[in-house]
Amino acid sequence: MQITKKKYYDYLVPFALGLILATILLIPQFQIHTGVKLSDTQFHFNRFYDVYEQFKNHNFSYFQMNYGFGQTGRVVNAVYGPFFSYILGFLLFITGSWFKFQVLITYIVFIIGSYGMYRLSLKLKTSRITAIVVTLLFLTTGYMSSWTNSNSFSTWGAALVPYVLIQAVNLVDNDKGDFNWIGLGITMAVVAQVHLLSTVICVLALVPFFTYSLCQSKNKAVLCLNLVKAVVVFLVLTANVWGAFLLLYSTNHMAPTYDYPLSSTAITVGVISVWNTILDSILVIFFVQLCYVLTNFKESKLNNLITIEGIVFLFLSSQLFPWTFIETKFPVLKSTFQFPNRLTTIAYPLLFAAIGVTITELSKKYDNKITNLSYLLLVGIILSNLSANYIFTNHRVKENSIGEVTPQEFIDNNISKAPEYLPIQKKLAAGEIQNNGLNDLSPDSNKKFNKKVLSSGSLKLSWQSKKREVIVLPIFMYHQSQLIFNNKRLNPNLTAIGMPFVQSEPGENTAILSFKMPLWFTILLYISLVGWLLIIVLKILDIFLPNFKLNKFNFDQKKVGSKL
């Protein structure tokens, strides 16, 4: 009975923490009962709106976006968190308004982040009180606290990082190489289905853990074999992600994202801890943690590892690192990596978890006065950070409120601010794309075209012309796109950013745009779907059938090791 109570406690506590923190930061929106349009809202919510309309009209198209981004047939969701886009689009379909949708997903991201950080702390054998304090630190710092004032999608990556770190601890928490390779593969696949760049960052975070485990393992062959298994699980569950990149990037010139000076997007000390600033008080506790590890390095090798790695990631994310020099040598990073502060999604949970381990070690060596003093200081930082975040969020909400509107009322068809993933015909910087026709795609320019989505997932345009003339259609064509113009298949000339020229005839004209998926990608898509379905079914059996364990599929590591 006691074990059962603890089990429920460990579910309810992080749920409550996430619920409370999200509610506090949502108060400004509750007060005026409104949705908000923040820094990244327009881009991401266009993605979800497209899926919303797919569910609403039963016109499904995996690659071609027929509703979002001005109904231009762009490809975005297929290469940016595809399955997760469908999940959030379905939630938008259920809620029916942007305000309710924003509230719902805010609660979801905070609860996911809270539960992951709490479980990571317990995994490191901290007390439950310590785990609560560490979780609150995590929720009020960096990208987690930035969601309600920016809608930055890196927040979702940040919320999932603790789950990756739990798998990282599993890597080093044994000496026989028999870690949970299924868990590692699934966790990394979830991150990839949500936010691809976070996947790359998480891989970098796992490297030191695997290296340490490889050095310490008594059965290196089993360790390496299990890593290969984890990679295979990951590849199966993300076949739709890497398959889409392979399809599009091997046959199209895809537009880059905006360039950002790396030195200006690294973190600096500020009066609030959000995506690009950090409180000086948090820096102080990180410094104290580093000093403790350096002077007590024999206490816990795991504490040493997570602290040092956390400090390295924090240094790389900051303006102390020579990003100005790096961006001159590798300018491609300005459009691919963009924000060094993204590395804090690894640094913060590592360092907060390490602080929890240190408090646990101190409580064993000394009396409770040291522990209580640590709690008092950390709670003071939490309250200070939460207060600053609330004030900042309150300002942003009132400045960017849009009222409680339906998805259709919210969507702005002007996509001139989003050049990502366009099928450019020559090498162009993101800024140059604006001057090659994208700025001309305003809502007014679309008015003369009647757009209709067909049941096949194709996009039909119809318009009236008074004379025979060459015009540019407000759609984009990729190598896999097919255009039927006035009932004839056409292979048109394209603008620099992939919009087709057609010669319209007097009277009514029609054009039908479709995206043709090759058979091999369809196979990969179904492999991924079946893989996820199988994982879900096995997990349900694992939960509800006492005699069934998912670990049965992890094979007998001792037998494998003896054979190797």
Side-chain angles (χ1 to χ4, degrees):
M1 179 63 70
Q2 188 67 27
I3 294 176
T4 303
K5 286 183 178 180
K6 287 183 178 180
K7 181 179 179 180
Y8 284 118
Y9 180 88
D10 291 337
Y11 281 109
L12 291 176
V13 166
F15 179 85
L17 293 177
L19 204 66
I20 292 169
L21 263 294
T23 300
I24 292 173
L25 292 176
L26 280 169
I27 287 175
Q29 282 183 259
F30 287 144
Q31 287 176 334
I32 55 180
H33 201 75
T34 180
V36 288
K37 184 188 292 186
L38 301 168
S39 306
D40 289 343
T41 306
Q42 193 65 24
F43 176 77
H44 292 297
F45 283 14
N46 258 286
R47 302 196 296 120
F48 310 145
Y49 172 74
D50 188 85
V51 176
Y52 160 87
E53 288 287 352
Q54 289 186 41
F55 280 111
K56 182 180 178 181
N57 297 286
H58 309 291
N59 294 324
F60 292 94
S61 176
Y62 186 81
F63 278 93
Q64 183 171 296
M65 301 184 71
N66 295 320
Y67 298 100
F69 295 96
Q71 290 192 283
T72 53
R74 292 178 61 172
V75 174
V76 178
N77 280 341
V79 289
Y80 198 124
F83 286 169
F84 193 59
S85 296
Y86 273 88
I87 292 174
L88 292 191
F90 182 69
L91 292 180
L92 176 60
F93 175 70
I94 293 173
T95 55
S97 79
W98 285 114
F99 169 66
K100 294 175 184 176
F101 176 69
Q102 282 184 314
V103 169
L104 176 61
I105 63 175
T106 296
Y107 278 120
I108 291 173
V109 72
F110 270 83
I111 290 171
I112 290 173
S114 177
Y115 184 76
M117 195 66 207
Y118 184 82
R119 298 302 303 186
L120 173 61
S121 299
L122 294 186
K123 181 72 177 178
L124 293 170
K125 297 180 173 58
T126 68
S127 69
R128 285 173 170 79
I129 299 298
T130 302
I132 290 173
V133 174
V134 167
T135 300
L136 289 173
L137 276 171
F138 174 70
L139 294 178
T140 57
T141 307
Y143 273 99
M144 288 303 304
S145 64
S146 295
W147 173 256
T148 51
N149 55 64
S150 70
N151 285 160
S152 170
F153 225 67
S154 289
T155 300
W156 290 92
L160 293 172
V161 164
Y163 298 89
V164 176
L165 296 180
I166 289 173
Q167 301 303 324
V169 174
N170 286 335
L171 268 174
V172 301
D173 201 20
N174 67 85
D175 59 359
K176 298 179 181 179
D178 54 348
F179 67 91
N180 185 0
W181 53 270
I182 293 180
L184 177 59
I186 293 174
T187 303
M188 291 299 295
V190 170
V191 177
Q193 293 287 358
V194 173
H195 192 243
L196 192 61
L197 187 57
S198 292
T199 313
V200 177
I201 296 173
C202 287
V203 169
L204 295 177
L206 287 171
V207 169
F209 285 92
F210 178 76
T211 302
Y212 177 86
S213 182
L214 188 63
C215 293
Q216 298 294 316
S217 178
K218 296 178 181 178
N219 201 331
K220 294 178 174 54
V222 169
L223 179 67
C224 292
L225 178 61
N226 284 336
L227 181 64
V228 172
K229 293 177 185 177
V231 171
V232 171
V233 171
F234 171 81
L235 291 176
V236 169
L237 297 179
T238 60
N240 62 313
V241 179
W242 55 262
F245 270 88
L246 183 63
L247 173 64
L248 289 169
Y249 280 81
S250 64
T251 55
N252 298 275
H253 294 288
M254 303 290 281
T257 53
Y258 278 115
D259 289 352
Y260 287 92
L262 300 178
S263 56
S264 67
T265 58
I267 62 167
T268 184
V269 177
V271 295
I272 184 174
S273 181
V274 287
W275 64 283
N276 62 339
T277 58
I278 185 172
L279 286 174
D280 50 7
S281 56
I282 293 179
L283 280 178
V284 169
I285 62 172
F286 287 166
F287 178 73
V288 171
Q289 170 65 21
L290 178 62
C291 291
Y292 173 81
V293 164
L294 294 177
T295 55
N296 297 271
F297 60 91
K298 293 183 179 180
E299 291 289 334
S300 170
K301 292 181 180 179
L302 188 56
N303 196 11
N304 299 343
L305 176 61
I306 61 179
T307 299
I308 298 301
E309 182 177 342
I311 291 295
V312 170
F313 271 93
L314 183 66
F315 172 69
L316 292 174
S317 70
S318 73
Q319 292 187 353
L320 295 176
F321 190 75
W323 285 112
T324 302
F325 172 78
I326 295 297
E327 67 186 26
T328 57
K329 295 295 183 181
F330 306 99
V332 67
L333 291 176
K334 291 191 292 183
S335 63
T336 54
F337 185 47
Q338 294 180 308
F339 308 112
N341 57 69
R342 283 172 166 157
L343 296 175
T344 59
T345 59
I346 299 296
Y348 289 156
L350 279 173
L351 290 171
F352 289 143
I355 288 170
V357 174
T358 295
I359 292 175
T360 302
E361 292 177 0
L362 290 174
S363 66
K364 293 178 181 178
K365 293 171 62 177
Y366 305 102
D367 56 32
N368 289 333
K369 291 182 179 179
I370 295 293
T371 305
N372 293 335
L373 179 61
S374 300
Y375 289 154
L376 184 63
L377 291 173
L378 294 179
V379 169
I381 293 173
I382 291 167
L383 293 175
S384 175
N385 207 8
L386 181 59
S387 175
N389 286 332
Y390 177 84
I391 293 172
F392 183 61
T393 299
N394 185 51
H395 170 73
R396 292 278 286 163
V397 167
K398 291 180 178 178
E399 190 180 56
N400 299 280
S401 63
I402 58 174
E404 185 172 3
V405 297
T406 64
Q408 291 90 341
E409 292 171 324
F410 173 80
I411 283 296
D412 179 3
N413 287 328
N414 186 356
I415 58 168
S416 62
K417 295 182 179 180
E420 289 91 342
Y421 312 118
L422 290 179
I424 58 176
Q425 305 304 298
K426 59 181 180 180
K427 188 174 182 179
L428 294 171
E432 295 178 287
I433 294 174
Q434 306 292 331
N435 302 320
N436 279 272
L438 190 56
N439 279 329
D440 298 329
L441 275 175
S442 63
D444 290 336
S445 67
N446 267 320
K447 286 183 178 178
K448 71 174 185 178
F449 296 94
N450 179 42
K451 295 183 178 181
K452 179 183 178 181
V453 183
L454 305 179
S455 58
S456 61
S458 302
L459 180 64
K460 180 179 180 180
L461 286 74
S462 57
W463 69 98
Q464 295 286 333
S465 290
K466 294 181 180 180
K467 59 180 180 179
R468 192 178 189 188
E469 59 182 339
V470 175
I471 64 171
V472 178
L473 297 183
I475 53 176
F476 297 100
M477 292 192 65
Y478 297 78
H479 178 75
Q480 291 77 17
S481 298
Q482 178 177 292
L483 186 67
I484 304 296
F485 174 63
N486 289 340
N487 298 319
K488 295 180 180 179
R489 183 172 178 178
L490 187 66
N491 187 23
N493 293 323
L494 305 175
T495 68
I497 58 174
M499 294 190 293
F501 292 99
V502 296
Q503 184 168 282
S504 61
E505 301 292 338
E508 184 174 355
N509 294 265
T510 61
I512 298 176
L513 178 70
S514 58
F515 190 99
K516 301 303 179 183
M517 285 196 309
L519 177 61
W520 64 266
F521 178 81
T522 302
I523 293 172
L524 289 180
L525 178 60
Y526 278 105
I527 286 175
S528 182
L529 286 170
V530 171
W532 282 110
L533 182 61
L534 179 62
I535 292 297
I536 293 171
V537 170
L538 291 178
K539 187 60 179 177
I540 292 174
L541 293 174
D542 189 29
I543 293 173
F544 293 103
L545 296 181
N547 296 324
F548 180 91
K549 291 298 178 184
L550 189 59
N551 289 336
K552 287 181 179 180
F553 295 89
N554 214 2
F555 305 113
D556 190 336
Q557 308 297 346
K558 292 181 180 180
K559 292 181 180 179
V560 175
S562 62
K563 292 179 181 179
L564 294 174

